[in-house]
Amino acid sequence: WLVSTQLTPTSNTGPRRDRSYNGNYIYTEGDLGGNSAILLSRCMDLTGMTHPSLDYFYHMYGAGINNLFVQIKKPGEKTWSTVPGSNVVGAQQTSEKDDWGFKHNDLTLYANQIIQLRIIGAKTGAGTTGDIAIDDLSIYDQGTTDVGIVKIAPPGSRINLLTPVKPTFRIRNYGRSAVTNVPVQYTITPICGPNAGIPVNYTETYTGTIQPGTEVSFQAVTTPTYPKGDFEICANTNKAGDNVAHNDQMCDRSSGWATEDIRNGFTESFDSCTGGSYLGGFTDGDLGLFEIGAPNNGSITAPKSSPNVLMTGLNFNYFAGKEETYNLPRFIGFDTIAGAQIRFDHRFSLGAGDAI
């Protein structure tokens, strides 16, 4: 098991990034040999827990994936027992960009006992496309009331500022009882521009009922004001009686796709903001590789102007056979402009282990 933040080294397997966009995840690297990888816990005391649980999100994309499962052992036992219902077999996603799946493992049979856990990810054959990933793992006492946000979409990769849409939140009931009237609080925070780092708060309420272990999609009633350029959107539930806080919130990133009048001139050096841009463009393509920041790739380590570039992977190589795009803002005002031009500095080789 290895720790990663972005793509795994092998094409056509593994996730694009962690669930929160800005953190880490762990994964089994199929290229390293062996048939399985074991994540072994220390001994854990479940004293005082009535409904101990092991939860995690998983990403299983790749033709070489076999299965992912959990085993448990108590003091004095010489063999491991597979936790009932823990086995996830075969690829569960079809691309790096697919949503992470969720797995709940009920450990109630081991309440008030000392246990040791291991999570096993296995591959088939050579298994070079057998990268299995886990994120947001938690061992806790399952509550009666426990809800949280697991996905925000739209906005997706961009919001058209001319025709903005209401965000949609996927809410999961992690608890043991049905819940209703779930408050959803969310913030939209510009990453760049004059209001960078200043969140704007919104509050909505899902009035339906969510059964235990299920999810619902809830579209906000009010259309928020989206900023130009890159922004972060974070949503959390604040349900009364929910004493399990670690799974309440979800964050994602998007970009307000802007309109620019070329009669005013337009330039963008990508140097005024780290990790994003105020220009109103957005990343798309097979893997969404274009990133803004300081280059640290084997072939490109220095920008044309400091400190940033727009690049297909600041810290990893371009993946062969993929098509990546960076969409500029919508330009208008051509009616009174003769000989309009777009110019940019570029560096690329298209050789093995290179970037653009």
Side-chain angles (χ1 to χ4, degrees):
W1 291 88
L2 303 176
V3 179
S4 184
T5 58
Q6 297 257 10
L7 291 160
T8 67
T10 312
S11 184
N12 298 317
T13 188
R16 173 61 182 89
R17 55 170 56 89
D18 83 306
R19 290 186 64 244
S20 68
Y21 198 103
N22 294 315
N24 299 330
Y25 65 88
I26 60 173
Y27 76 101
T28 62
E29 177 49 64
D31 286 352
L32 295 182
N35 294 320
S36 62
I38 298 175
L39 181 66
L40 184 66
S41 79
R42 298 181 178 182
C43 290
M44 295 179 291
D45 190 350
L46 304 184
T47 298
M49 292 188 178
T50 55
H51 295 88
S53 302
L54 166 65
D55 289 356
Y56 52 77
F57 288 83
Y58 61 85
H59 197 285
M60 301 171 65
Y61 165 56
I65 288 175
N66 188 353
N67 61 335
L68 175 69
F69 59 99
V70 180
Q71 292 188 326
I72 200 165
K73 186 171 68 171
K74 295 187 294 184
E77 294 182 341
K78 296 182 179 180
T79 59
W80 292 87
S81 301
T82 299
V83 174
S86 68
N87 196 18
V88 182
V89 180
Q92 302 296 306
Q93 281 80 14
T94 58
S95 79
E96 292 92 338
K97 295 169 68 175
D98 279 357
D99 293 341
W100 291 68
F102 174 76
K103 187 63 178 177
H104 170 75
N105 297 280
D106 185 3
L107 306 180
T108 302
L109 290 175
Y110 306 96
N112 296 301
Q113 300 181 50
I114 295 175
I115 64 167
Q116 189 175 22
L117 289 170
R118 66 180 188 181
I119 301 175
I120 300 177
K123 64 181 184 179
T124 59
T128 56
T129 56
D131 297 352
I132 299 173
I134 288 177
D135 200 6
D136 295 334
L137 182 150
S138 58
I139 300 171
Y140 68 106
D141 198 11
Q142 185 185 30
T144 302
T145 301
D146 183 12
V147 289
I149 306 295
V150 295
K151 184 177 174 60
I152 308 172
S157 62
R158 58 104 176 190
I159 282 287
N160 187 340
L161 297 182
L162 294 180
T163 56
V165 297
K166 302 169 184 176
T168 296
F169 310 99
R170 199 159 74 215
I171 310 171
R172 181 172 185 87
N173 184 351
Y174 295 98
R176 304 192 312 273
S177 297
V179 294
T180 187
N181 295 323
V182 177
V184 176
Q185 300 171 339
Y186 71 99
T187 60
I188 295 178
T189 306
I191 296 173
C192 305
N195 297 315
I198 302 175
V200 179
N201 301 306
Y202 301 89
T203 300
E204 302 272 355
T205 300
Y206 174 72
T207 58
T209 300
I210 312 176
Q211 298 297 328
T214 65
E215 299 177 3
V216 298
S217 290
F218 167 56
Q219 185 181 60
V221 176
T222 303
T223 303
T225 300
Y226 294 102
K228 172 186 172 183
D230 293 330
F231 64 87
E232 182 180 57
I233 179 169
C234 292
N236 70 282
T237 55
N238 189 22
K239 177 67 175 171
D242 183 352
N243 297 317
V244 182
H246 71 264
N247 54 20
D248 289 354
Q249 179 173 276
M250 179 68 188
C251 294
D252 205 350
R253 283 185 52 163
S254 185
S255 182
W257 190 39
T259 299
E260 295 288 344
D261 193 325
I262 64 169
R263 291 173 297 182
N264 301 324
F266 177 85
T267 61
E268 174 60 58
S269 67
F270 303 106
D271 294 329
S272 61
C273 179
T274 297
S277 172
Y278 185 58
L279 73 86
F282 64 96
T283 297
D284 205 351
D286 290 336
L287 296 176
L289 290 187
F290 274 108
E291 301 175 312
I292 298 171
N296 188 29
N297 183 279
S299 61
I300 302 176
T301 58
K304 178 66 165 57
S305 63
S306 294
N308 297 329
V309 296
L310 172 69
M311 182 172 168
T312 54
L314 297 170
N315 301 292
F316 53 89
N317 294 330
Y318 188 84
F319 277 60
K322 305 295 184 181
E323 182 176 277
E324 305 301 328
T325 60
Y326 187 82
N327 298 269
L328 296 173
R330 179 190 297 105
F331 293 117
I332 61 173
F334 288 91
D335 292 345
T336 57
I337 298 293
Q341 297 181 356
I342 180 171
R343 298 179 179 181
F344 53 89
D345 295 302
H346 64 86
R347 178 178 176 181
F348 66 95
S349 157
L350 298 185
D354 210 335
I356 300 173

